[in-house]
Amino acid sequence: MSNSTPPSVPRQIRIRHAVQREIGRLIGPLWIPPFVFMLRFVMGYRIADVSALRAEYRRLREESDAPLLICPNHLTLIDSMIISWAIVPWWRYAVHFDELPWNTPERKNFARTGLTRILVFIAKCIPISRGGERSAVAIVLARVIHLLNRGEVAMLFPEGGRSRSGRVTSDSIAWGVGRIIAAAPGCRVLCIYMRGDTQESWGSVPNMGDRISISMECFEPKSDSKGARRSRDLASQVVTRLSKMEEAYFDGRK
Protein backbone atom coordinates (compact mmCIF):
# COMPACT_ATOMS: atom_id res chain seq x y z
CA MET A 1 0.00 0.00 0.00
CA SER A 2 1.33 3.39 -0.93
CA ASN A 3 1.75 5.86 1.92
CA SER A 4 -0.24 8.49 0.00
CA THR A 5 -3.02 6.29 -1.34
CA PRO A 6 -6.03 5.88 0.91
CA PRO A 7 -6.38 2.16 1.65
CA SER A 8 -9.62 0.45 0.79
CA VAL A 9 -11.82 -0.70 3.65
CA PRO A 10 -13.89 -3.85 3.13
CA ARG A 11 -17.65 -3.51 3.10
CA GLN A 12 -17.99 -5.54 6.30
CA ILE A 13 -15.76 -3.03 8.10
CA ARG A 14 -17.86 -0.12 6.87
CA ILE A 15 -20.98 -1.94 8.09
CA ARG A 16 -19.26 -2.54 11.44
CA HIS A 17 -18.56 1.18 11.75
CA ALA A 18 -22.19 2.01 11.00
CA VAL A 19 -23.48 -0.53 13.54
CA GLN A 20 -20.99 0.67 16.15
CA ARG A 21 -21.96 4.29 15.52
CA GLU A 22 -25.72 3.62 15.78
CA ILE A 23 -25.48 1.45 18.91
CA GLY A 24 -23.29 4.09 20.52
CA ARG A 25 -25.79 6.78 19.53
CA LEU A 26 -28.69 4.87 21.12
CA ILE A 27 -26.84 4.04 24.35
CA GLY A 28 -24.90 7.30 24.64
CA PRO A 29 -27.53 9.18 26.68
CA LEU A 30 -27.40 6.36 29.25
CA TRP A 31 -23.64 6.32 29.88
CA ILE A 32 -22.25 9.72 28.92
CA PRO A 33 -23.94 11.84 31.67
CA PRO A 34 -22.98 9.52 34.58
CA PHE A 35 -19.47 9.13 33.18
CA VAL A 36 -18.92 12.89 33.06
CA PHE A 37 -20.50 13.16 36.53
CA MET A 38 -17.87 10.69 37.78
CA LEU A 39 -15.02 12.70 36.23
CA ARG A 40 -16.27 15.98 37.61
CA PHE A 41 -17.76 15.17 41.00
CA VAL A 42 -16.30 11.80 42.06
CA MET A 43 -12.76 12.27 40.78
CA GLY A 44 -13.03 16.04 41.20
CA TYR A 45 -11.38 17.10 37.95
CA ARG A 46 -11.76 20.64 36.67
CA ILE A 47 -10.83 21.83 33.18
CA ALA A 48 -9.05 25.21 33.12
CA ASP A 49 -10.64 27.75 30.75
CA VAL A 50 -13.06 25.12 29.49
CA SER A 51 -15.37 27.62 27.75
CA ALA A 52 -12.49 29.03 25.68
CA LEU A 53 -11.32 25.50 24.77
CA ARG A 54 -14.75 24.50 23.55
CA ALA A 55 -15.19 27.71 21.60
CA GLU A 56 -11.82 27.20 19.89
CA TYR A 57 -12.60 23.57 19.05
CA ARG A 58 -16.00 24.55 17.67
CA ARG A 59 -14.33 27.21 15.52
CA LEU A 60 -11.84 24.67 14.15
CA ARG A 61 -14.62 22.24 13.27
CA GLU A 62 -16.72 24.91 11.58
CA GLU A 63 -13.96 26.51 9.53
CA SER A 64 -13.08 23.43 7.47
CA ASP A 65 -14.40 20.03 6.36
CA ALA A 66 -10.85 18.68 6.00
CA PRO A 67 -9.98 15.52 7.97
CA LEU A 68 -9.13 16.25 11.59
CA LEU A 69 -6.83 13.98 13.60
CA ILE A 70 -6.45 14.76 17.31
CA CYS A 71 -2.95 13.99 18.59
CA PRO A 72 -2.49 14.53 22.35
CA ASN A 73 0.45 13.90 24.63
CA HIS A 74 -0.06 10.81 26.76
CA LEU A 75 0.35 10.51 30.54
CA THR A 76 -2.66 8.57 31.88
CA LEU A 77 -5.07 5.86 30.85
CA ILE A 78 -8.02 8.26 30.72
CA ASP A 79 -6.43 11.07 28.69
CA SER A 80 -8.76 10.54 25.74
CA MET A 81 -11.83 10.59 28.00
CA ILE A 82 -10.83 13.85 29.66
CA ILE A 83 -10.01 15.45 26.32
CA SER A 84 -13.37 14.43 24.84
CA TRP A 85 -15.09 15.96 27.88
CA ALA A 86 -12.97 19.12 27.69
CA ILE A 87 -13.49 20.03 24.04
CA VAL A 88 -17.25 19.39 23.70
CA PRO A 89 -20.00 19.71 26.35
CA TRP A 90 -21.25 16.28 27.43
CA TRP A 91 -24.82 17.04 26.43
CA ARG A 92 -23.76 17.55 22.81
CA TYR A 93 -22.37 14.02 22.71
CA ALA A 94 -25.67 12.71 24.10
CA VAL A 95 -27.58 14.57 21.38
CA HIS A 96 -25.00 14.61 18.54
CA PHE A 97 -23.05 11.38 19.06
CA ASP A 98 -21.12 11.89 15.80
CA GLU A 99 -19.10 14.61 17.55
CA LEU A 100 -17.45 12.05 19.84
CA PRO A 101 -14.01 11.32 18.32
CA TRP A 102 -13.12 7.78 17.36
CA ASN A 103 -10.41 6.56 19.67
CA THR A 104 -7.71 3.90 19.39
CA PRO A 105 -6.97 2.54 22.88
CA GLU A 106 -4.35 -0.07 23.59
CA ARG A 107 -6.07 -3.46 23.37
CA LYS A 108 -4.29 -5.00 26.37
CA ASN A 109 -5.48 -2.12 28.60
CA PHE A 110 -9.05 -1.67 27.41
CA ALA A 111 -10.24 -4.73 25.46
CA ARG A 112 -8.98 -7.77 27.29
CA THR A 113 -12.37 -9.17 28.36
CA GLY A 114 -15.76 -9.52 26.76
CA LEU A 115 -17.20 -6.78 28.96
CA THR A 116 -14.44 -4.26 28.22
CA ARG A 117 -14.68 -5.02 24.51
CA ILE A 118 -18.41 -4.16 24.67
CA LEU A 119 -17.69 -0.94 26.59
CA VAL A 120 -15.07 0.31 24.16
CA PHE A 121 -17.32 -0.68 21.25
CA ILE A 122 -20.16 1.59 22.40
CA ALA A 123 -17.62 4.37 23.09
CA LYS A 124 -16.50 4.47 19.42
CA CYS A 125 -13.15 2.82 20.05
CA ILE A 126 -11.04 0.75 17.69
CA PRO A 127 -8.58 -1.14 19.91
CA ILE A 128 -5.05 -1.47 18.63
CA SER A 129 -2.18 -3.70 19.75
CA ARG A 130 0.83 -1.41 19.65
CA GLY A 131 3.85 -3.42 18.59
CA GLY A 132 1.51 -6.20 17.43
CA GLU A 133 1.29 -7.92 14.07
CA ARG A 134 1.81 -5.46 11.25
CA SER A 135 -1.23 -6.72 9.34
CA ALA A 136 -3.51 -6.14 12.34
CA VAL A 137 -2.09 -2.66 12.94
CA ALA A 138 -2.48 -1.86 9.24
CA ILE A 139 -6.19 -2.73 9.41
CA VAL A 140 -6.71 -0.32 12.31
CA LEU A 141 -4.84 2.46 10.49
CA ALA A 142 -6.89 1.82 7.34
CA ARG A 143 -10.08 2.10 9.40
CA VAL A 144 -8.96 5.41 10.90
CA ILE A 145 -8.00 6.78 7.48
CA HIS A 146 -11.39 5.75 6.10
CA LEU A 147 -13.21 7.49 8.94
CA LEU A 148 -11.18 10.68 8.58
CA ASN A 149 -11.77 10.81 4.84
CA ARG A 150 -15.52 10.62 5.39
CA GLY A 151 -15.40 13.65 7.70
CA GLU A 152 -15.24 12.02 11.12
CA VAL A 153 -12.76 12.93 13.86
CA ALA A 154 -10.27 10.44 15.30
CA MET A 155 -7.80 10.55 18.18
CA LEU A 156 -4.39 8.86 18.19
CA PHE A 157 -1.46 9.23 20.58
CA PRO A 158 1.69 9.90 18.52
CA GLU A 159 4.08 8.94 21.33
CA GLY A 160 2.95 5.33 21.01
CA GLY A 161 2.07 5.00 24.71
CA ARG A 162 2.20 6.78 28.05
CA SER A 163 5.45 8.66 28.48
CA ARG A 164 7.52 6.97 31.20
CA SER A 165 9.56 10.14 31.64
CA GLY A 166 6.50 12.28 32.24
CA ARG A 167 7.54 14.50 29.33
CA VAL A 168 6.80 14.37 25.61
CA THR A 169 9.21 11.85 24.14
CA SER A 170 10.29 10.92 20.63
CA ASP A 171 11.79 7.60 21.73
CA SER A 172 8.83 5.51 20.57
CA ILE A 173 6.97 7.62 18.01
CA ALA A 174 3.98 5.85 16.50
CA TRP A 175 4.91 6.15 12.83
CA GLY A 176 1.36 5.09 11.96
CA VAL A 177 0.29 8.64 12.76
CA GLY A 178 2.38 9.81 9.82
CA ARG A 179 0.94 7.10 7.64
CA ILE A 180 -2.57 8.24 8.47
CA ILE A 181 -1.76 11.90 7.75
CA ALA A 182 -0.16 10.97 4.43
CA ALA A 183 -3.20 8.99 3.32
CA ALA A 184 -5.83 11.56 4.33
CA PRO A 185 -5.59 14.46 1.84
CA GLY A 186 -5.55 17.86 3.55
CA CYS A 187 -5.48 16.24 6.98
CA ARG A 188 -5.24 18.75 9.81
CA VAL A 189 -3.69 17.68 13.08
CA LEU A 190 -5.01 19.10 16.33
CA CYS A 191 -2.14 18.78 18.82
CA ILE A 192 -3.40 18.81 22.40
CA TYR A 193 -1.13 19.20 25.39
CA MET A 194 -2.83 18.20 28.64
CA ARG A 195 -1.51 17.96 32.18
CA GLY A 196 -2.91 18.06 35.69
CA ASP A 197 -1.50 20.99 37.62
CA THR A 198 -0.09 18.66 40.32
CA GLN A 199 0.89 15.89 37.93
CA GLU A 200 4.60 15.12 38.03
CA SER A 201 4.77 12.02 35.85
CA TRP A 202 2.76 9.31 34.11
CA GLY A 203 0.18 7.12 35.85
CA SER A 204 -3.23 5.50 35.59
CA VAL A 205 -5.28 8.66 36.19
CA PRO A 206 -4.56 12.31 37.06
CA ASN A 207 -4.39 13.17 40.75
CA MET A 208 -7.84 13.32 42.30
CA GLY A 209 -9.25 16.84 42.46
CA ASP A 210 -6.67 18.18 40.03
CA ARG A 211 -7.21 21.12 37.73
CA ILE A 212 -6.43 20.03 34.17
CA SER A 213 -4.65 22.52 31.91
CA ILE A 214 -5.10 22.01 28.18
CA SER A 215 -3.68 23.84 25.18
CA MET A 216 -4.42 23.23 21.49
CA GLU A 217 -2.61 23.98 18.23
CA CYS A 218 -3.91 22.97 14.81
CA PHE A 219 -1.68 22.65 11.77
CA GLU A 220 -1.35 20.73 8.52
CA PRO A 221 1.88 18.71 8.44
CA LYS A 222 3.55 18.54 5.03
CA SER A 223 6.51 16.62 3.65
CA ASP A 224 8.24 16.30 0.28
CA SER A 225 9.63 12.89 1.22
CA LYS A 226 8.22 9.65 -0.10
CA GLY A 227 7.16 6.33 1.38
CA ALA A 228 8.15 5.40 4.91
CA ARG A 229 10.42 8.43 5.19
CA ARG A 230 7.41 10.67 4.61
CA SER A 231 5.43 8.93 7.36
CA ARG A 232 8.32 9.36 9.79
CA ASP A 233 8.70 13.02 8.83
CA LEU A 234 5.00 13.76 9.35
CA ALA A 235 4.84 11.92 12.67
CA SER A 236 7.99 13.68 13.87
CA GLN A 237 6.45 17.07 13.07
CA VAL A 238 3.51 16.23 15.33
CA VAL A 239 5.67 15.13 18.26
CA THR A 240 7.95 18.15 17.81
CA ARG A 241 4.90 20.41 17.99
CA LEU A 242 3.76 18.70 21.20
CA SER A 243 7.24 19.07 22.65
CA LYS A 244 7.18 22.83 22.00
CA MET A 245 3.71 23.08 23.58
CA GLU A 246 5.11 21.32 26.64
CA GLU A 247 7.97 23.83 26.83
CA ALA A 248 5.42 26.64 26.71
CA TYR A 249 3.40 24.96 29.48
CA PHE A 250 6.35 24.74 31.85
CA ASP A 251 7.57 28.22 30.93
CA GLY A 252 4.13 29.47 31.97
CA ARG A 253 4.48 27.82 35.38
CA LYS A 254 7.73 29.62 36.21
Side-chain angles (χ1 to χ4, degrees):
M1 181 180 73
S2 163
N3 274 278
S4 58
T5 302
S8 59
V9 174
R11 183 169 179 269
Q12 61 267 33
I13 295 292
R14 296 197 298 272
I15 293 174
R16 183 189 304 179
H17 289 165
V19 171
Q20 186 171 1
R21 194 182 297 111
E22 291 309 311
I23 291 178
R25 190 193 313 278
L26 290 172
I27 300 179
L30 301 180
W31 68 267
I32 293 174
F35 185 79
V36 173
F37 182 91
M38 180 192 71
L39 290 175
R40 178 64 187 92
F41 296 107
V42 178
M43 306 184 82
Y45 299 139
R46 292 161 293 127
I47 307 296
D49 300 322
V50 65
S51 296
L53 278 173
R54 290 171 177 171
E56 175 63 8
Y57 182 74
R58 185 167 61 249
R59 184 190 67 78
L60 289 169
R61 292 289 290 146
E62 291 175 350
E63 74 176 8
S64 173
D65 294 328
L68 182 65
L69 180 65
I70 298 175
C71 290
N73 65 314
H74 200 9
L75 291 174
T76 78
L77 289 172
I78 63 171
D79 287 345
S80 60
M81 305 170 196
I82 293 176
I83 289 169
S84 296
W85 167 41
I87 60 177
V88 174
W90 66 267
W91 59 266
R92 284 196 64 87
Y93 290 135
V95 178
H96 303 286
F97 191 66
D98 284 345
E99 294 195 31
L100 183 69
W102 290 84
N103 190 21
T104 53
E106 169 62 50
R107 184 180 300 277
K108 66 182 179 183
N109 291 331
F110 288 96
R112 285 186 297 181
T113 68
L115 176 60
T116 56
R117 282 194 289 274
I118 291 172
L119 293 176
V120 297
F121 181 85
I122 64 175
K124 286 178 73 177
C125 293
I126 305 173
I128 187 171
S129 296
R130 296 186 174 90
E133 292 185 9
R134 295 182 63 178
S135 59
V137 173
I139 290 172
V140 173
L141 298 183
R143 292 177 64 180
V144 173
I145 293 166
H146 168 75
L147 291 165
L148 289 176
N149 283 330
R150 70 184 302 274
E152 302 196 44
V153 179
M155 188 183 308
L156 210 69
F157 294 96
E159 295 174 89
R162 287 173 288 165
S163 169
R164 270 32 181 184
S165 67
R167 298 296 184 95
V168 174
T169 177
S170 59
D171 293 342
S172 57
I173 294 179
W175 304 120
V177 167
R179 191 170 173 179
I180 290 171
I181 298 168
C187 182
R188 298 183 300 163
V189 173
L190 180 60
C191 289
I192 292 184
Y193 186 78
M194 181 180 75
R195 196 178 194 100
D197 287 353
T198 67
Q199 190 168 358
E200 297 297 331
S201 188
W202 67 287
S204 296
V205 298
N207 296 327
M208 298 282 281
D210 216 351
R211 189 183 81 141
I212 310 293
S213 294
I214 296 177
S215 60
M216 302 190 300
E217 291 186 9
C218 190
F219 77 117
E220 184 180 339
K222 295 182 180 297
S223 176
D224 293 328
S225 299
K226 304 294 183 184
R229 182 173 297 181
R230 185 180 186 207
S231 295
R232 289 195 293 270
D233 184 17
L234 294 168
S236 294
Q237 291 178 37
V238 174
V239 174
T240 298
R241 180 65 68 108
L242 284 172
S243 183
K244 290 180 178 177
M245 293 169 70
E246 182 173 69
E247 289 179 14
Y249 169 81
F250 282 104
D251 286 346
R253 289 179 52 173
K254 292 178 180 176

